[in-house]
Amino acid sequence: MWDTNAYLSALTPKFYVALTGTSSLISGLILIFEWWYFRTYGTSFIEQVSLSHLGPWLGGGNETDNSNTNTNNTASNECKVWRNPMALLRGAEYGRLWSAARRAPLTYYDMNLSAQDHQAWFSCGGDQSPVEEAMNRAWREREPTARVAAARTALARDPDCAAALLLLAEEDSPTVQEAERVLKRAWRAAEASWRAHAAAGSAYASAARRDAAVLAHVKRRVAMCARRLGKLRDAARMFRELTRDAPPALHAMSLHENLIEVLLEQRLYADAAAVVARFEDAGAPPSAALLYTAALLRARAAVGVGARPGAEVIALEAIRRAIEFNPHVPEYLLELRALTLPPEHVLRRGDSEAVAYAFFHLRHWRNAEGALRLVAAAWAGAERAGAGAGAGCAACADRELLAPHHAMSAFPRRRAALLPLAAALCAGCAVLALAAHRWPAHAHALLDPRRLHSLLAAV
């Protein structure tokens, strides 16, 4: 049998000093990594790993398995990345941040998702002509200069290549006016190509679908340029047409959000309310634009002249529902957190969606007198309740979508209360190890093997 007395008698104070110092060092490294992970992703790495790997073992039972399956399905839906319908122009708008501050406005992950979208929308498959091969290479290129060069190569072979003109308007036009001019040229080229392929019959059906997708995206970008240049009537008309007759290529673009923003800028609040109600009744996927616009309209009716009794309570309830869906938005509306340029893709209920919404809609909340006061009241209650927590993968996906210089929002605020205690324990252990090394006689008296053996026997 193992003799614990002989083993403990053979240990010297140096062993305990080395043991304490090594454990303190390892604990400190774990603490530093946990602090870095928490500051970067807004969640605890140890907690995340424990819930992912130990949760199924500790749960057990069929009911738990079913609930875990439902939770995983819900989380996967919440972590789905959507195309941002309000994305800016890369050359005329995103490029200004790089020129002014030398900060990358978009991440490679975000741009790679856009490249995959473009190849899916603007490729007809099968045998491809040299122009189509050049455009496919342009969508795949990582560097903007390489994409522009490939588009110019395609345009040199076919001066009426609408896809090449679309890419040049997006990435090579220095101003919105120049982008609009190039896009209108692409509109004419895409419409002529679509009509020609549509009249040619079923043999060119794939090319006709490709041309229809290019034409729809060109129209959408022309409408967005009109919005930027203050041509609100033209923008509203084009967005109404696109919303009503959207081709399959634009079904995932949520064009009604563009229309709602233009109507709010025109201060046509009744029309904006009708659009929100129509898409809510149609079962459109919930988004920050729909829920917060509904809350804005109710807040405006509650604080305006001739407000009905109880309208403020209804407005507060609408704001609470919006905060429950995406709790990151109020910090941007109340200007408690700095905004950045919105990414080209957003995560519903995530910080990226909050940035994209607040970037364009903050001015509309400012124009509604008293609306931000209601947001502050509802936000204070939501902070105390800690409601509206999103899926665990949301922070990681948002970090991949948002620019590195942006300080991400985390809700509910995870204050790591154990970190100061862990730091104090590590520091205390290190101090004890140094004291034992400095005064070995006292350490040997305190760590007498006979005393430790009697203590272990008593336990």
Side-chain angles (χ1 to χ4, degrees):
M1 182 135 182
W2 184 50
D3 189 359
T4 58
N5 190 16
Y7 175 75
L8 292 175
S9 300
L11 297 179
T12 63
K14 291 184 178 180
F15 168 78
Y16 295 101
V17 172
L19 177 64
T20 307
T22 305
S23 60
S24 300
L25 177 62
I26 295 175
S27 300
L29 293 176
I30 294 174
L31 173 65
I32 293 172
F33 173 76
E34 181 74 6
W35 173 81
W36 170 82
Y37 195 89
F38 180 83
R39 288 292 302 270
T40 304
Y41 298 105
T43 186
S44 168
F45 176 78
I46 298 176
E47 179 184 356
Q48 191 175 10
V49 172
S50 300
L51 292 176
S52 301
H53 298 283
L54 298 181
W57 293 90
L58 298 177
N62 294 331
E63 294 182 359
T64 306
D65 295 339
N66 294 334
S67 63
N68 288 339
T69 301
N70 296 332
T71 303
N72 292 335
N73 292 336
T74 303
S76 63
N77 290 333
E78 290 182 355
C79 294
K80 179 182 177 181
V81 175
W82 299 72
R83 182 80 178 183
N84 180 14
M86 309 288 289
L88 305 177
L89 295 168
R90 287 189 182 180
E93 294 173 311
Y94 283 123
R96 294 173 62 185
L97 179 62
W98 175 258
S99 301
R102 290 298 168 183
R103 287 182 173 179
L106 299 173
T107 63
Y108 281 120
Y109 174 71
D110 191 15
M111 292 190 290
N112 185 50
L113 291 177
S114 298
Q116 295 176 14
D117 294 339
H118 294 150
Q119 291 180 73
W121 291 333
F122 305 145
S123 176
C124 58
D127 296 333
Q128 296 182 342
S129 64
V131 175
E132 293 173 346
E133 291 179 357
M135 284 310 303
N136 285 335
R137 187 172 65 256
W139 300 125
R140 288 193 302 267
E141 288 291 347
R142 192 169 183 175
E143 295 298 328
T145 53
R147 287 195 296 270
V148 171
R152 291 192 181 281
T153 301
L155 197 63
R157 294 176 177 175
D158 182 7
D160 293 328
C161 181
L165 292 170
L166 174 61
L167 189 146
L168 292 176
E170 288 269 1
E171 305 204 20
D172 195 46
S173 299
T175 62
V176 178
Q177 291 89 342
E178 177 66 17
E180 185 185 38
R181 185 187 66 80
V182 178
L183 285 169
K184 288 183 177 179
R185 179 185 167 190
W187 187 337
R188 294 190 296 270
E191 191 168 17
S193 179
W194 172 71
R195 292 182 184 278
H197 286 132
S202 58
Y204 294 91
S206 60
R209 285 193 299 269
R210 189 264 323 273
D211 293 337
V214 174
L215 178 59
H217 281 273
V218 169
K219 288 182 178 180
R220 181 180 69 89
R221 276 313 202 183
V222 170
M224 295 180 72
C225 288
R227 165 66 184 91
R228 302 285 195 280
L229 298 174
K231 305 173 185 178
L232 299 181
R233 289 187 178 180
D234 295 339
R237 174 179 54 79
M238 285 186 280
F239 280 129
R240 285 184 189 275
E241 294 175 357
L242 288 170
T243 304
R244 183 181 64 248
D245 305 322
L250 292 183
H251 285 171
M253 291 298 298
S254 302
L255 290 174
H256 56 277
E257 297 185 11
N258 298 83
L259 177 59
I260 288 171
E261 198 278 327
V262 173
L263 293 175
L264 291 177
E265 182 66 20
Q266 290 181 295
R267 303 199 178 187
L268 300 177
Y269 298 110
D271 293 349
V275 174
V276 171
R278 176 157 58 98
F279 279 91
E280 285 181 344
D281 295 340
S287 64
L290 286 176
L291 292 171
Y292 276 93
T293 300
L296 170 63
L297 296 173
R298 285 176 172 79
R300 182 179 172 276
V303 298
V305 179
R308 301 177 185 176
E312 188 168 326
V313 177
I314 297 175
L316 281 172
E317 183 60 30
I319 295 174
R320 289 193 188 99
R321 286 197 300 270
I323 291 176
E324 184 177 358
F325 177 79
N326 193 324
H328 306 282
V329 174
E331 284 190 311
Y332 297 106
L333 294 182
L334 299 174
E335 300 182 62
L336 301 176
R337 184 174 293 275
L339 273 172
T340 187
L341 296 182
E344 293 182 337
H345 291 80
V346 298
L347 183 73
R348 295 283 169 86
R349 310 190 70 176
D351 190 29
S352 54
E353 185 191 32
V355 169
Y357 173 80
F359 188 85
F360 290 98
H361 289 262
L362 176 58
R363 57 186 294 132
H364 307 314
W365 283 89
R366 287 175 177 170
N367 292 335
E369 184 180 355
L372 291 177
R373 175 180 59 83
L374 297 178
V375 172
W379 171 242
E383 264 196 319
R384 288 192 297 269
C393 63
C396 298
D398 275 330
R399 183 71 279 170
E400 295 291 334
L401 291 172
L402 291 167
H405 60 265
H406 175 67
M408 283 184 54
S409 168
F411 189 88
R413 288 192 178 92
R414 304 286 302 278
R415 294 177 175 85
L418 293 179
L419 289 182
L421 178 60
L425 288 176
C426 291
C429 292
V431 170
L432 290 176
L434 290 175
H437 182 72
R438 177 65 179 81
W439 296 286
H442 295 81
H444 186 271
L446 291 175
L447 301 176
D448 188 3
R450 290 188 296 272
R451 183 180 298 178
L452 293 177
H453 179 68
S454 60
L455 178 61
L456 289 175
V459 172

